[in-house]
Amino acid sequence: MDAKAISKAKLPSRHVTVGPARAPHRSFLYAMGLSPDEIAQPLVGVASCWNEAAPCNISLMRQAQVVKKGVAAANGTPREFCTITVTDGIAMGHQGMKASLVSRDVIADSVELTMRGHSYDALVGLAGCDKSLPGMMMAMVRLNVPSIFIYGGSILPGTWRGRQITIQDVFEAVGQHSVGAISDEDLLEVEQAACPSAGACGAQFTANTMATVAEAIGLALPYSCGAPAPYEMRDRFNYASGEKVMELIARNIRPRDIVTLKALENAAAVVSATGGSTNAALHLPAIAHEAGIVFDLFDVARIFENTPYIADLKPGGRYVAKDMFEAGGIPLLMKTMLEHGYLHGDCLTVTGRTVAENMEHVRWNDAQDVVRPANRPITATGGVVGLKGNLAPDGAIVKVAGMSNLKFTGPARCFDSEEECFAAVTDRTYREGEVLVIRYEGPKGGPGMREMLSTTAALYGQGMGDKVALITDGRFSGATRGFCIGHVGPEAAVGGPIGLLRDGDMITIDAMTGELSVALGDAELADRRKDWTSRQTDYQSGVIWKYAQTVGSAREGAVTHPGGARETHCYADI
């Protein structure tokens, strides 16, 4: 592509590269080795969430170098920068998890600020961790400059004593160890074997769920989100993404042309079809919010209810992301969904073609059993279910993939923090048949809406995963399985019904009918609300305090600003 064919007359970078008044700005660019021709070309931000916090991020800087080559080959000028990540696997089970969801918005904000401050014309974003994927996509939609998303790729599965394992097995091994089912030596072997390479957690946990979303929603090139991080073939996708973003500039194809209501419905459908993470019900509304589209938890749940579960992926199934890629990748999944009416085929994607056009040459692979045909599903309804009732007027979410019993009724056992509940699980002071309630862990009440994998995995490790239920106004990891209900809203910190529960209250969970209720009348709940008082968190300064002042409800994505609907100007048009 000839960069001279792309006029800077309407591109943001004209504000730092064009005209005599911009001589000081160009001087800084010369100092970094750029030539006059490179300064005259479109400036493309290449943003990565590289760091040494976890294997999901460790390969991103290397991959970013290949993206830059692709941009340069298409006569663009790449400008690399990094942003943060908080890695859930290491933040899990302690106060560090309060930083996790907060990091999603910090990532989006920091990418926005870097792009705005330096007037870049387009964005290629690389991400690998649970919150960095939605954070990067939120920034793309918010800025609305031509953009392509790149997933850093999944980790390879580990092997322990002849069977395939993931990080989920390590968390569950902690529970097994606590009841003497495995020895210290066994636990050490498991933890050393589970994560053998770079890449994000390998099953259909949050990172791979949101990677599947990136292709389905149209922001990533087909097949690019399936290739594991160690595969050298990732470089083909990275290079191609760098080239393709220049074409998007030339054709003025922007994220909001791609992320439409139909595209969001496609994204929700692939989450359900893969038994993906319940966190998608938080991130899809947040991405929609950036475009000014109303698409809340109930809209996500409506798609879940009408989409079959067809991909046999862990934690509820047998396979990991690598297996699905080798069976045919995310396009194989999308092809059968499209053919049977579960996707909108007319949605535009970053290829410049529609979903249907991208799927035209995808062929079904009869030699694999990772993905079922959409007309012969594992279950007829989706792997994730929305719930509602007098205990959750603003909804809740549960992953049912791999579960056999979809109903549970039992007495509440209330805990006002994750630590309190985890201690009860560790000491085995809970009882079979109880509904464990973890509250004051919502977006405001946490603050930060922690995930509860340490607790849920310990229950499974103790063999109690299907003998108790757990509900929370916080979140669950994509690796969580069993009767674990998250995102209960309104949250306890704002006086939601979950904050009014007392030990012994009978709770009913029915994933067949979508019910989450407590056997209390309106009058009793109203009387208890009169006695309820708000609680002060331990975070009275700093970024987590700041987050709590602005964050909204989980139902709407736990967003922290008014969004595209209130926008008076778009960065791409400055």
Side-chain angles (χ1 to χ4, degrees):
M1 179 180 294
D2 185 358
K4 294 182 176 62
I6 302 177
S7 168
K8 279 205 172 185
K10 293 185 177 181
L11 295 184
S13 67
R14 72 186 186 279
H15 295 297
V16 295
T17 62
V18 176
R22 301 310 180 206
H25 306 66
R26 292 191 294 272
S27 184
F28 281 119
L29 298 176
Y30 287 128
M32 292 182 283
L34 297 189
S35 68
D37 285 346
E38 289 172 315
I39 293 171
Q41 293 175 163
L43 304 184
V44 177
V46 178
S48 87
C49 299
W50 175 86
N51 58 41
E52 293 182 335
C56 34
N57 310 308
I58 201 69
S59 72
L60 294 178
M61 183 177 287
R62 186 199 66 76
Q63 294 191 49
Q65 309 317 305
V66 184
V67 174
K68 290 162 65 178
K69 290 178 182 178
V71 171
N75 297 314
T77 301
R79 307 312 299 152
E80 182 182 0
F81 63 95
C82 291
T83 184
I84 69 155
T85 54
V86 172
T87 298
D88 288 6
I90 292 177
M92 192 73 67
H94 56 92
Q95 292 287 309
M97 180 50 77
K98 292 182 186 289
S100 171
L101 186 58
V102 179
S103 75
R104 182 194 71 179
D105 291 70
V106 171
I107 289 163
D109 292 350
S110 63
V111 172
E112 177 192 358
L113 291 174
T114 302
M115 294 287 292
R116 282 187 181 275
H118 304 97
S119 296
Y120 295 154
D121 301 314
L123 174 63
V124 180
L126 299 93
C129 268
D130 294 1
K131 307 308 169 297
S132 60
L133 277 79
M136 192 65 73
M137 287 186 266
M138 288 164 64
M140 291 174 175
V141 179
R142 184 186 304 178
L143 292 161
N144 204 32
V145 290
S147 301
I148 292 183
F149 177 82
I150 296 174
Y151 179 41
S154 69
I155 199 169
L156 297 177
T159 302
W160 182 64
R161 298 183 182 177
R163 70 179 179 92
Q164 187 170 274
I165 63 171
T166 70
I167 192 66
Q168 172 192 349
D169 295 278
V170 187
F171 276 99
E172 292 182 5
V174 173
Q176 294 172 320
H177 181 266
S178 72
V179 295
I182 64 173
S183 67
D184 292 348
E185 292 75 16
D186 292 337
L187 182 60
L188 180 61
E189 283 184 27
V190 171
E191 71 180 75
Q192 290 180 336
C195 299
S197 73
C201 297
Q204 199 69 351
F205 308 153
T206 305
N208 281 317
T209 297
M210 295 309 297
T212 307
V213 160
E215 282 196 35
I217 210 168
L219 289 174
L221 293 178
Y223 296 101
S224 67
C225 289
Y231 284 19
E232 293 297 326
M233 68 182 303
R234 288 213 54 79
D235 286 353
R236 299 182 211 167
F237 299 118
N238 297 328
Y239 192 91
S241 296
E243 288 185 308
K244 181 61 71 171
V245 79
M246 295 302 298
E247 181 182 321
L248 297 181
I249 296 173
R251 297 177 61 182
N252 195 30
I253 295 175
R254 301 181 180 186
R256 294 186 199 175
D257 300 323
I258 294 168
V259 180
T260 62
L261 179 59
K262 283 185 175 181
L264 288 157
E265 290 177 340
N266 285 350
V270 298
V271 174
S272 187
T274 59
S277 170
T278 55
N279 282 308
L282 197 68
H283 301 321
L284 290 177
I287 293 169
H289 181 74
E290 300 291 352
I293 298 170
V294 176
F295 191 69
D296 68 9
L297 183 149
F298 291 127
D299 295 307
V300 175
R302 170 177 49 84
I303 303 300
F304 288 171
E305 186 178 351
N306 296 307
T307 307
Y309 169 42
I310 62 173
D312 194 6
L313 298 171
K314 290 177 180 285
R318 296 177 293 163
Y319 295 107
V320 295
K322 175 188 78 74
D323 301 320
M324 187 161 85
F325 178 69
E326 292 174 351
I330 297 165
L332 181 77
L333 173 86
M334 293 176 64
K335 176 75 170 183
T336 187
M337 294 180 69
L338 180 65
E339 287 179 339
H340 293 94
Y342 296 107
L343 291 182
H344 302 290
D346 57 346
C347 294
L348 183 65
T349 73
V350 290
T351 65
R353 301 186 297 273
T354 65
V355 167
E357 289 169 335
N358 288 344
M359 297 299 108
E360 207 169 294
H361 299 293
V362 176
R363 296 291 175 262
W364 183 253
N365 176 7
D366 283 321
Q368 59 82 39
D369 63 351
V370 182
V371 179
R372 304 260 191 103
N375 62 340
R376 297 205 311 271
I378 299 168
T379 59
T381 54
V384 187
V385 172
L387 305 173
K388 188 178 182 181
N390 70 339
L391 187 48
D394 279 353
I397 203 87
V398 60
K399 179 188 285 193
V400 297
M403 287 174 54
S404 55
N405 180 24
L406 299 182
K407 297 181 181 180
F408 195 103
T409 298
R413 177 81 177 281
C414 300
F415 303 93
D416 288 345
S417 70
E418 181 191 8
E419 284 83 359
E420 289 181 15
C421 186
F422 185 71
V425 171
T426 301
D427 296 338
R428 306 202 72 180
T429 58
Y430 64 93
R431 291 189 181 129
E432 183 175 328
E434 287 184 324
V435 179
L436 309 182
V437 178
I438 305 178
R439 56 195 180 187
Y440 296 102
E441 291 287 6
K444 285 186 179 294
M449 204 178 183
R450 284 193 288 182
E451 290 181 351
M452 311 289 173
L453 178 59
S454 292
T455 302
T456 61
L459 285 168
Y460 249 91
Q462 293 176 359
M464 297 294 287
D466 60 350
K467 295 180 176 62
V468 297
L470 197 156
I471 70 170
T472 182
D473 51 8
R475 300 181 293 126
F476 290 114
S477 165
T480 292
R481 54 185 176 143
F483 236 137
C484 299
I485 291 86
H487 305 200
V488 174
E491 62 175 294
V494 298
I498 191 173
L500 308 178
L501 293 176
R502 296 173 184 168
D503 288 350
D505 290 340
M506 292 303 294
I507 294 172
T508 295
I509 306 160
D510 191 333
M512 303 284 288
T513 62
E515 177 188 358
L516 177 58
S517 63
V518 58
L520 296 172
D522 293 343
E524 173 65 18
L525 286 170
D527 285 343
R528 291 189 186 186
R529 188 167 283 108
K530 292 174 187 175
D531 297 330
W532 177 85
T533 55
S534 60
R535 296 160 56 94
Q536 179 172 292
T537 76
D538 292 336
Y539 294 82
Q540 295 302 306
S541 65
V543 67
I544 295 177
W545 172 87
K546 188 191 302 183
Y547 178 83
Q549 310 315 301
T550 58
V551 69
S553 70
R555 173 179 174 173
E556 295 172 340
V559 295
T560 56
H561 69 107
R566 295 275 297 277
E567 192 176 75
T568 57
H569 84 279
C570 174
Y571 164 74
D573 296 320
I574 61 172

